[in-house]
Each structure stands twice: as structure tokens, then as C-alpha cells.
Amino acid sequence: PFRGAQTPLVPTTYIGADQIEQDLKQLAQISECVRTYSIENGLDQVPAIAGKVGLKVMQGIWLGSDRAKNFAQISTAIRLAKDNPGVITSLVVGNEVLLRGEMTTTDLVAIIRSVKAQVSVPVTYADVWEYWLRNREVYDAVDFITIHILPYWEDFPIKAKFAATHVDSIRQRMAVTFPGKEILIGETGWPSQGRMREGALPSRTSQARGVSEILLLPKRETFRVNLIEAYDQPCKRELEGTVGGYWGLYDSVRRALKYPPGEAISNFPLWTWQMGAGMAFSVIVFVSAWLTTRRRPWTPLVSSWVAVAITATSAGCLLGIAADKMYYESYGIGGWLQWGALLAAGLVASVLGANALVSGRSQPSFLDMFGPRGDRDNPRLALSMWCLGATLVVTTLIAGETALGFAFDPRYRDFPYASLTMAVVPFACLMLNRPQSGPRQIAESAFAGLLAIAAIYVGFNEGRDNW
């Protein structure tokens, strides 16, 4: 039920009954049952409210390495099961605790058996499907098996168009491996925003297709499935990056369905405005170049105008995408500053780069910006060129940080391809005006080596499908 800045990562967060009731009334229109994961932050109110609006509840018990906290969760969940007969249909004792390595299989089985002895509803445990195969002794302790199948997060990510086929094949494999007990798919779905993993692309259309095709399976083959999740959870971006916050059937702000039945879905619903802004900015880039020629006694080379056209076209095409990505991928003050600075760098580099292209000036070096005072007093470092140099520095630093992140800790990283390309293209075009002589640019060479090595590694690591 978390909205806006509300987060379960802050222990004191408490969600009131009214807010929970608003969500459950909405969910009762499309579902018969909801699953919870704990009883903290006000979630112990869910069963009573669900009973009023006609929903069933799979009550979760969150287990971890804190034994006292585990006991509090277990005792509260048992009480709720007894107080809400007919509403709570089952207890989910632990969620991916084996995956996280916070409990041994022996301890988990003991807790499951203890809970079963105290309640009359079925008891299960939920984990990624591979962990059931690795810990088969849990099978004997539960009443039914709850598996998580998330095609996007597989070690070898699955494309959205194959998501339903993958889910069905895994379910059938588990049914053969664990005969005699129901296989519930406790988590499955697709994200609408975030980084691409090999061929698995989060997007509005991918989510609509993946989820819709997955939901056709239980209708055809008669089994139970639970979507993750009801609403987008912005707070999960702190742990999982952008992709963690956008698995919901409803968006987190308007609490509206992302893809209502029968309506066309676009990855960029505001594309007309974004296109208009891009075209207007392309004109600004050309005007910047034209105004520069009015103050110069010579005629720029044809190649300079071709470079201006490339800069203007790439910036115009990518501006709307870059703004959209910045909106969804910026998290916290640091995130907004970083991605905002990169988008600003793309805008400034395009305009000032066009100016420098037709005036015949080369881009400033790091030495011009940060070298001895004699270098920084260079008369060619006018205000516009100083701004262009500062833009180069910002772009290079963010690109370097992004490259290192994708090389050493890529799983939850976003790749700002639109903003970065907007900023890089003007500087690449400015190589036409590269000076024939001058001091060796050591800083640029160091960053170039870093980016080249990272690009080769990331290319292999991400796979050829990740465009």
C-alpha cells in the first residue's frame, strides 16, 4: 500500500486503514485474492478490511535472521488467521529467505511445521523456482508449493514475447518434479520501466504483452497465479534500481491501470509533445549555427554543416526519450542531480557544439579548464567555450561512472543512453575541428582508455541482444 515517499525500509512507517481500504476496494474489481508479505507497517489491518470488500488474503509471514522479529511475525499471523476465518485462505511462511541466505533449510522446515500445528488453513513457503529444486525437503513440510517465475530476472533473461512460454514450461517442470501437490505461481509479471537485460526490455508495451499472455495460461490450463504486483512501488528503486519500482498493474501516482483492456498502449504516450519539443530544439541548434556565421567573415565548410545537421537531428530525436527516462529513472536528490546534469549537458553541448563547428574552433581540453593559470587564460577560452568545456567534463565524469558501474555492479544500474548520446554526438562531431598541435591531453586519454575497456567488457557481459 506504500505511496510516494512511504517505504517499509523505514521501520516507523505506518499505513492507515483508509489508504489500505482505497486500494483493496479497487483491487476487488479485478481480483478475488491478494497476497501480503508481512504484518508490519500497518499490513496487519489487511485481512479485516479485505473481508469487508469481498477479497481473500494469502497472509505472508516475513522471516529473516532476526529470531525475535520472526516470532512476532509468526504469532501475529497465527492470530490473524484465527480472527479472520474464510478471509485468510493460506499462510505463506517465509519469502525467499533461502535465496537471501538468512535461514537454513532445517530451521525453515521446523518453523513451517510449528505454524501448521497451530492453524487450520493451508501453509506454504515461497521462493524462486530454482531454490525449490535445491531444497526439496521443504516439499514434505508444506501443503502446496509456491514458486516465483520472473522471466526478466532469470540468469539468462527471457524476452517479453517468450515470457508466457517460459512460465508455462517451468510450471510443468515443477509439477513433474513435485507430484501430488498444487503448484501456485506466487510471483510472475513484467516491469514497465528500467534497464534492459540482454533481450529483456522493460516497457509499457512489453509489460502489457507479457502479463496478458501469462494470464491466458491459467484460464486454459486451470491453475492459480499471482501477479507481482498490484501497484508500482517507488520505494523498491532504492534496492533494485528503476526496474524495482515499476512492476505494478496500477501506477503509483494516479492509482490507474497502466493498460486498460481494449486500449492501444504506447511506450511514449506523450510522444506528440516530445516530438514537438525535439523539432523545436533542432531548430534552435540550426539557428545557433546560423547566428554564428553572421559574425564571421568566412563561409563554413560543407562538412561543418553536415556535422551540425547530425547534432541537431540526434538531439531532436532523443530529447523526448531523454526527458522521459530522466523522469522515471531519477531517484532521490542525487539521482535527479546526476541525470538532470547529463540532460542539461546534452542540450548545452548540442547548441554550443553547433556554434563551435561553424566557427572552426576545437573543443576545450581538461587542461584548458583545470590546468595552470597560463593555460586557463588562453584567449580562445571565451565564455561559450568555457561552458562547452564544463559540459565535456560533466559528460565525461558521468559516462565514466556509468561505465565502471556497468563493469563491476551492473544488475540494478540504469543506462542513460538518450541523454548520453545527445551529449556525446556534438563532441564527436567537433573532432572535425581538432587542433593539429598542442600539449598532450593526458586526462582525455585516460578516460578514453577507461571507456574503451569498459565498452568491450560490457558488450560481452550484456550480450548482443541488448541494443
Side-chain angles (χ1 to χ4, degrees), residues 302-320:
V302 173
S303 59
S304 295
W305 281 112
V306 171
V308 170
I310 293 172
T311 297
T313 303
S314 63
C317 290
L318 293 169
L319 176 59

Side-chain angles (χ1 to χ4, degrees), residues 223-338:
F223 61 87
R224 291 194 295 161
V225 63
N226 183 77
L227 284 182
I228 182 166
E229 51 198 333
Y231 297 92
D232 284 346
Q233 294 290 287
C235 56
K236 288 171 63 178
R237 297 159 66 191
E238 186 173 343
L239 299 176
E240 301 176 8
T242 295
V243 72
Y246 294 99
W247 287 77
L249 196 64
Y250 293 87
D251 73 76
S252 63
V253 179
R254 296 180 298 119
R255 314 302 264 189
L257 278 171
K258 293 183 187 176
Y259 34 94
E263 294 188 14
I265 304 301
S266 169
N267 285 336
F268 299 98
L270 302 177
W271 70 268
T272 52
W273 290 95
Q274 294 167 337
M275 181 182 70
M279 293 175 68
F281 186 66
S282 293
V283 172
I284 291 173
V285 174
F286 276 111
V287 169
S288 171
W290 178 74
L291 289 176
T292 303
T293 64
R294 305 287 292 177
R295 299 193 300 268
R296 299 291 176 183
W298 63 81
T299 301
L301 298 173
V302 173
S303 59
S304 295
W305 281 112
V306 171
V308 170
I310 293 172
T311 297
T313 303
S314 63
C317 290
L318 293 169
L319 176 59
I321 299 174
D324 186 80
K325 291 293 182 184
M326 182 183 73
Y327 175 78
Y328 285 103
E329 295 179 358
S330 298
Y331 182 76
I333 296 176
W336 279 101
L337 286 175
Q338 182 177 11

